Amino acid sequence: METILARVTEEPLSVAEHEAAVADKAAGAVVSFAGVVRDHDGGRSVTELEYTGHPSAPELIAEIAAEFAARPEVQAVAVSHRIGLLGIGDVALACAVSAAHRGQAFTACAELVDEVKARLPIWKRQVFSDGEEEWVACP
Amino acid sequence: MPVTVRYFAGARAAVGVDTETREAGTLAELVGQLADAHGERLERVLPACSFLVDGTSTRDRALVLAPGSVVDVLPPFAGG
């Protein structure tokens, strides 16, 4: 029904802020997700990640959020992706979805994450502890 | 037809510049030219890329490019 928050930002993300943003008297369930920078990938030790976005990324995340907010079973949606240099443990993707019932909220939140990963024009450069780096998913 | 090519992320890293101008009539012609001009590293990346032509996403390599078109080279997304 409502997109409360949809943004691409260089500022640190708070999942709690997203949960609070979708809270609603009609919502019996709030499901949230944090995509967090981890210290390993493919068995190698990771020291930092940099996310960069295409200029259209803010528009795209708003479009995706609006699609989920338009679902009749969804009460409210909040989703943000962080860009820039992130450290281990930093939140890169924060989402929260509220709905009348938990099943609907779990499903919508999981699908929202999948959709953001598939459609949002954002890229990730991974730096390993040996100094090597790679663009994730790029051949 | 002069067209502007903008590179992002891994494609930018393969080429070493953000943007360049090329002469090409179709997207296929342009992509072939880019592969020839920039060598093996970009050649490896290009098949995985999608393209934005004047802001519209396409994988249609037969697409005819208008003079002054802006073509963005987008490697596979890796957000989240």
Side-chain angles (χ1 to χ4, degrees):
Chain A
M1 262 179 231
E2 230 183 321
T3 304
I4 304 293
L5 202 62
R7 63 185 178 185
V8 173
T9 175
E10 293 190 5
E11 300 303 315
L13 297 180
S14 151
V15 176
E17 184 200 341
H18 288 69
E19 289 166 348
V22 300
D24 187 288
K25 280 183 184 164
V30 173
V31 171
S32 65
F33 172 80
V36 180
V37 178
R38 64 169 183 263
D39 71 353
H40 62 95
D41 191 48
R44 300 173 73 186
S45 170
V46 173
T47 54
E48 65 181 34
L49 280 185
E50 184 187 13
Y51 288 91
T52 61
H54 186 268
S56 66
E59 203 180 302
L60 257 300
I61 202 169
E63 192 179 301
I64 296 165
E67 285 172 18
F68 279 81
R71 293 183 174 192
E73 75 279 17
V74 169
Q75 200 65 40
V77 175
V79 54
S80 305
H81 203 299
R82 189 171 166 195
I83 54 172
L85 206 56
L86 274 69
I88 306 303
D90 284 347
V91 176
L93 172 62
C95 306
V97 175
S98 60
H101 304 288
R102 68 180 184 282
Q104 303 162 333
F106 274 121
T107 302
C109 189
E111 290 177 4
L112 174 62
V113 173
D114 289 345
E115 216 47 32
V116 165
K117 289 180 80 92
R119 284 167 56 194
L120 194 63
I122 281 186
W123 301 279
K124 175 159 58 180
R125 186 178 61 88
Q126 196 158 247
V127 180
F128 297 102
S129 55
D130 59 10
E132 262 190 61
E133 59 169 62
E134 67 167 20
W135 286 94
V136 175
C138 189
Chain B
M1 302 290 176
V3 297
T4 301
V5 185
R6 302 195 301 176
Y7 297 100
F8 293 87
R12 196 222 163 276
V15 172
V17 297
D18 290 325
T19 183
E20 64 178 351
T21 305
R22 291 272 162 189
E23 292 278 338
T26 63
L27 185 57
E29 196 187 319
L30 177 69
V31 172
Q33 218 183 92
L34 300 182
D36 291 344
H38 292 290
E40 192 264 337
R41 198 165 161 205
L42 185 68
E43 230 171 328
R44 201 168 60 226
V45 176
L46 278 173
C49 289
S50 61
F51 300 89
L52 275 186
V53 179
D54 296 323
T56 302
S57 180
T58 183
R59 282 179 180 272
D60 176 15
R61 299 289 177 102
L63 189 78
V64 174
L65 301 174
S69 284
V70 177
V71 179
D72 289 353
V73 182
L74 310 182
F77 304 153

